[in-house]
Amino acid sequence: MNFSSLSGPRIAAERKRLKLSQVEAAEECGVSREMWGKYERGKAAMGTEVLSSFVSVGADPLFILTGQTHSLAPEIAPDEQLLLDSYRELSPQQRKALLAQLLSGNSDIAKPETSSDRRVTIKGEGNRVSAQGDYYENGKKEE
C-alpha cells in the first residue's frame, strides 16, 4: 500500500463530512473534478497546495495524513466544541460570509452593552443625589 491508496478514502470522507460535492471540493482547491476523483480513488497524491486549500475549507489534515483525528489537538471547552461543530456544518460560502462579518465587526451578533446603551436618571438637591437605573462595573451589573 502507498500513501495515495491510504489517503484516498480519507479525502473522500472529509469531503463528505464537509458536505461538499466532488465538483465543489475541486473548485475550492483549484483542480478539475477528474483530478479530484483520482485523489479519492487513490490514483494520485494530493500536493501540498491542494491539501492546504482543502484544509482552508475545513478538512482535517491530521486525519488525511495519518487516519487519526484530534490526537494532537488540545482539549477545548464544550461551548467551544459546539461552536466549532456548528461552523464545520456550514457550507464554504456560509463560512466565508460568517468570517467576513466577524472580522469586519459588522455582525448581527449581540454585543455587550456600552455606557451609551444604558439610561440612568440622576436627581439631587444640595448635597443629596439619588440615581435610578442599572449600574455596571467592569461589564457586570451591580446590585
Side-chain angles (χ1 to χ4, degrees):
M1 293 197 150
N2 61 26
F3 177 73
S4 296
S5 66
L6 293 172
S7 66
R10 297 177 198 151
I11 292 167
E14 280 298 280
R15 175 186 57 79
K16 290 173 186 173
R17 182 184 64 80
L18 295 169
K19 297 179 179 144
L20 295 172
S21 68
Q22 284 189 340
V23 171
E24 291 169 328
E27 286 175 0
E28 288 288 336
C29 297
V31 297
S32 68
R33 207 271 332 137
E34 291 76 18
M35 190 68 206
W36 191 268
K38 289 180 182 180
Y39 297 148
E40 290 192 8
R41 289 189 309 276
K43 301 294 181 190
M46 188 179 274
T48 55
E49 287 183 25
V50 176
L51 178 60
S52 177
S53 295
F54 194 34
V55 168
S56 73
V57 295
D60 181 350
L62 182 64
F63 176 69
I64 292 170
L65 297 173
T66 68
Q68 298 175 358
T69 57
H70 308 295
S71 64
L72 301 178
E75 292 285 327
I76 62 173
D79 60 333
E80 292 173 316
Q81 187 63 52
L82 175 63
L83 182 64
L84 182 58
D85 291 343
S86 299
Y87 176 78
R88 287 178 174 167
E89 290 178 5
L90 298 174
S91 71
Q93 294 79 15
Q94 290 171 316
R95 288 179 184 188
K96 287 178 184 177
L98 177 61
L99 288 173
Q101 284 181 327
L102 290 171
L103 296 175
S104 70
N106 293 327
S107 69
D108 290 332
I109 295 172
K111 295 183 175 122
E113 209 176 64
T114 64
S115 59
S116 63
D117 296 331
R118 294 189 296 271
R119 298 186 190 266
V120 177
T121 304
I122 300 175
K123 298 178 183 178
E125 286 182 22
N127 291 334
R128 292 183 288 190
V129 177
S130 67
Q132 185 177 17
D134 294 329
Y135 176 72
Y136 289 79
E137 178 86 24
N138 297 323
K140 294 181 181 177
K141 184 176 176 181
E142 296 289 322
E143 299 298 327

